[in-house]
Amino acid sequence: MTRPVSVNMADRPEDTWDDPARGTLRWKTLISAGLTPSESLVCGVALMRQGEHFALHHHAEPEIYFGLEGEGTVMIDGIPHRLAPGIALYIPGNAIHGVPETQEPLRWFYTFARNSFDDIDYHFEPVQPGPDKRQT
């Protein structure tokens, strides 16, 4: 059963990926079926420290990012987009996106049109090897 719900971000635990290759960001899920008596929307706040990354990935659902704190670059289908307080980014479904590396702490609100965060099927891009650094 769904009903109105109020969530305090301070009361939510931080999550992160088990595999650092996916990213070193953290997030707090605010609204998601299974956590709240809600449906049709998932939202939360992503948190990154200076030097962290969010690996390139895609998922079927479109997504919105809304900048809350700091400034960074979000790559969407190979094009850099500025994310900063007051800036909203629409990320189409299946667009390859991520945050290569933050130069300062970065925080943004995100939302998907799904019932639960667990319903979102993330597909991470293979990690590209860096340039060959062997000495000749």
Side-chain angles (χ1 to χ4, degrees), residues 17-83:
W17 303 114
D18 290 334
D19 178 1
R22 291 180 168 203
T24 49
L25 82 160
R26 295 154 292 119
W27 66 90
K28 290 187 173 203
T29 303
L30 301 175
I31 306 290
S32 175
L35 296 176
T36 55
S38 58
E39 64 181 22
S40 306
L41 286 175
V42 170
C43 69
V45 175
L47 311 152
M48 296 180 76
R49 296 180 190 103
Q50 181 178 353
E52 292 186 325
H53 76 285
F54 186 11
L56 292 174
H57 65 283
H58 68 277
H59 35 72
E61 299 79 10
E63 184 175 14
I64 298 286
Y65 285 4
F66 183 78
L68 299 172
E69 179 184 333
E71 186 169 329
T73 300
V74 179
M75 297 299 295
I76 305 172
D77 284 338
I79 299 170
H81 295 268
R82 180 174 170 253
L83 183 62

